[in-house]
PDB file of all heavy atoms in Angstrom:
ATOM      1  N   TRP K1396      96.720 -62.969 117.128  1.00  0.00           N
ATOM      2  CA  TRP K1396      96.642 -62.689 115.672  1.00  0.00           C
ATOM      3  C   TRP K1396      97.757 -63.496 115.050  1.00  0.00           C
ATOM      4  O   TRP K1396      98.930 -63.373 115.379  1.00  0.00           O
ATOM      5  CB  TRP K1396      96.773 -61.204 115.464  1.00  0.00           C
ATOM      6  CG  TRP K1396      96.816 -60.655 114.053  1.00  0.00           C
ATOM      7  CD1 TRP K1396      97.631 -59.752 113.570  1.00  0.00           C
ATOM      8  CD2 TRP K1396      95.851 -60.937 113.045  1.00  0.00           C
ATOM      9  NE1 TRP K1396      97.372 -59.441 112.290  1.00  0.00           N
ATOM     10  CE2 TRP K1396      96.224 -60.215 111.888  1.00  0.00           C
ATOM     11  CE3 TRP K1396      94.722 -61.737 112.912  1.00  0.00           C
ATOM     12  CZ2 TRP K1396      95.541 -60.205 110.686  1.00  0.00           C
ATOM     13  CZ3 TRP K1396      94.031 -61.785 111.738  1.00  0.00           C
ATOM     14  CH2 TRP K1396      94.408 -61.011 110.635  1.00  0.00           C
ATOM     15  N   PHE K1397      97.429 -64.382 114.098  1.00  0.00           N
ATOM     16  CA  PHE K1397      98.395 -65.422 113.606  1.00  0.00           C
ATOM     17  C   PHE K1397      99.698 -64.826 113.050  1.00  0.00           C
ATOM     18  O   PHE K1397     100.717 -65.450 113.191  1.00  0.00           O
ATOM     19  CB  PHE K1397      97.686 -66.334 112.620  1.00  0.00           C
ATOM     20  CG  PHE K1397      97.495 -65.785 111.220  1.00  0.00           C
ATOM     21  CD1 PHE K1397      98.322 -66.103 110.207  1.00  0.00           C
ATOM     22  CD2 PHE K1397      96.418 -65.015 110.945  1.00  0.00           C
ATOM     23  CE1 PHE K1397      98.177 -65.589 108.919  1.00  0.00           C
ATOM     24  CE2 PHE K1397      96.197 -64.490 109.709  1.00  0.00           C
ATOM     25  CZ  PHE K1397      97.047 -64.778 108.665  1.00  0.00           C
ATOM     26  N   PRO K1398      99.696 -63.692 112.409  1.00  0.00           N
ATOM     27  CA  PRO K1398     101.022 -63.173 111.965  1.00  0.00           C
ATOM     28  C   PRO K1398     101.980 -62.910 113.087  1.00  0.00           C
ATOM     29  O   PRO K1398     103.219 -62.972 112.891  1.00  0.00           O
ATOM     30  CB  PRO K1398     100.665 -61.851 111.180  1.00  0.00           C
ATOM     31  CG  PRO K1398      99.228 -62.049 110.796  1.00  0.00           C
ATOM     32  CD  PRO K1398      98.624 -62.855 111.966  1.00  0.00           C
ATOM     33  N   ASN K1399     101.484 -62.617 114.296  1.00  0.00           N
ATOM     34  CA  ASN K1399     102.320 -62.404 115.452  1.00  0.00           C
ATOM     35  C   ASN K1399     103.039 -63.682 115.794  1.00  0.00           C
ATOM     36  O   ASN K1399     104.212 -63.637 116.205  1.00  0.00           O
ATOM     37  CB  ASN K1399     101.563 -61.862 116.618  1.00  0.00           C
ATOM     38  CG  ASN K1399     101.176 -60.371 116.431  1.00  0.00           C
ATOM     39  OD1 ASN K1399     101.798 -59.681 115.658  1.00  0.00           O
ATOM     40  ND2 ASN K1399     100.178 -59.927 117.177  1.00  0.00           N
ATOM     41  N   SER K1400     102.386 -64.823 115.690  1.00  0.00           N
ATOM     42  CA  SER K1400     102.970 -66.110 116.021  1.00  0.00           C
ATOM     43  C   SER K1400     104.083 -66.410 114.990  1.00  0.00           C
ATOM     44  O   SER K1400     105.164 -66.874 115.363  1.00  0.00           O
ATOM     45  CB  SER K1400     101.944 -67.194 116.022  1.00  0.00           C
ATOM     46  OG  SER K1400     101.148 -67.128 117.184  1.00  0.00           O
ATOM     47  N   VAL K1401     103.805 -66.118 113.718  1.00  0.00           N
ATOM     48  CA  VAL K1401     104.804 -66.307 112.679  1.00  0.00           C
ATOM     49  C   VAL K1401     106.022 -65.475 112.954  1.00  0.00           C
ATOM     50  O   VAL K1401     107.175 -65.935 112.856  1.00  0.00           O
ATOM     51  CB  VAL K1401     104.227 -66.003 111.307  1.00  0.00           C
ATOM     52  CG1 VAL K1401     105.297 -66.136 110.249  1.00  0.00           C
ATOM     53  CG2 VAL K1401     103.035 -66.928 110.991  1.00  0.00           C
ATOM     54  N   ARG K1402     105.854 -64.214 113.346  1.00  0.00           N
ATOM     55  CA  ARG K1402     106.950 -63.334 113.620  1.00  0.00           C
ATOM     56  C   ARG K1402     107.733 -63.819 114.843  1.00  0.00           C
ATOM     57  O   ARG K1402     108.978 -63.828 114.817  1.00  0.00           O
ATOM     58  CB  ARG K1402     106.377 -61.910 113.925  1.00  0.00           C
ATOM     59  CG  ARG K1402     107.445 -60.992 114.470  1.00  0.00           C
ATOM     60  CD  ARG K1402     106.852 -59.579 114.762  1.00  0.00           C
ATOM     61  NE  ARG K1402     105.776 -59.591 115.659  1.00  0.00           N
ATOM     62  CZ  ARG K1402     105.877 -59.640 116.992  1.00  0.00           C
ATOM     63  NH1 ARG K1402     107.014 -59.708 117.562  1.00  0.00           N
ATOM     64  NH2 ARG K1402     104.756 -59.551 117.771  1.00  0.00           N
ATOM     65  N   ARG K1403     107.060 -64.215 115.883  1.00  0.00           N
ATOM     66  CA  ARG K1403     107.747 -64.656 117.079  1.00  0.00           C
ATOM     67  C   ARG K1403     108.587 -65.951 116.799  1.00  0.00           C
ATOM     68  O   ARG K1403     109.710 -66.082 117.346  1.00  0.00           O
ATOM     69  CB  ARG K1403     106.760 -64.913 118.239  1.00  0.00           C
ATOM     70  CG  ARG K1403     106.173 -63.571 118.739  1.00  0.00           C
ATOM     71  CD  ARG K1403     105.023 -63.827 119.634  1.00  0.00           C
ATOM     72  NE  ARG K1403     104.431 -62.505 120.036  1.00  0.00           N
ATOM     73  CZ  ARG K1403     103.122 -62.267 120.182  1.00  0.00           C
ATOM     74  NH1 ARG K1403     102.250 -63.216 120.084  1.00  0.00           N
ATOM     75  NH2 ARG K1403     102.761 -61.056 120.602  1.00  0.00           N
ATOM     76  N   ALA K1404     108.081 -66.807 116.004  1.00  0.00           N
ATOM     77  CA  ALA K1404     108.815 -68.029 115.703  1.00  0.00           C
ATOM     78  C   ALA K1404     110.089 -67.676 114.961  1.00  0.00           C
ATOM     79  O   ALA K1404     111.166 -68.249 115.215  1.00  0.00           O
ATOM     80  CB  ALA K1404     107.972 -68.948 114.826  1.00  0.00           C
ATOM     81  N   GLU K1405     110.053 -66.666 114.021  1.00  0.00           N
ATOM     82  CA  GLU K1405     111.247 -66.293 113.320  1.00  0.00           C
ATOM     83  C   GLU K1405     112.267 -65.583 114.272  1.00  0.00           C
ATOM     84  O   GLU K1405     113.435 -65.784 114.157  1.00  0.00           O
ATOM     85  CB  GLU K1405     110.835 -65.298 112.184  1.00  0.00           C
ATOM     86  CG  GLU K1405     110.138 -65.918 111.030  1.00  0.00           C
ATOM     87  CD  GLU K1405     111.056 -67.027 110.367  1.00  0.00           C
ATOM     88  OE1 GLU K1405     112.211 -66.705 110.073  1.00  0.00           O
ATOM     89  OE2 GLU K1405     110.536 -68.153 110.121  1.00  0.00           O
ATOM     90  N   GLU K1406     111.696 -64.782 115.195  1.00  0.00           N
ATOM     91  CA  GLU K1406     112.579 -64.062 116.105  1.00  0.00           C
ATOM     92  C   GLU K1406     113.340 -65.006 117.030  1.00  0.00           C
ATOM     93  O   GLU K1406     114.434 -64.717 117.505  1.00  0.00           O
ATOM     94  CB  GLU K1406     111.789 -63.040 116.955  1.00  0.00           C
ATOM     95  CG  GLU K1406     111.280 -61.893 116.072  1.00  0.00           C
ATOM     96  CD  GLU K1406     110.307 -60.981 116.813  1.00  0.00           C
ATOM     97  OE1 GLU K1406     109.862 -61.356 117.942  1.00  0.00           O
ATOM     98  OE2 GLU K1406     110.001 -59.870 116.257  1.00  0.00           O
TER      99      GLU K1406
END
Side-chain angles (χ1 to χ4, degrees):
W1396 180 226
F1397 77 98
N1399 286 339
S1400 288
V1401 175
R1402 170 180 59 80
R1403 288 168 185 146
E1405 287 299 314
E1406 291 172 349

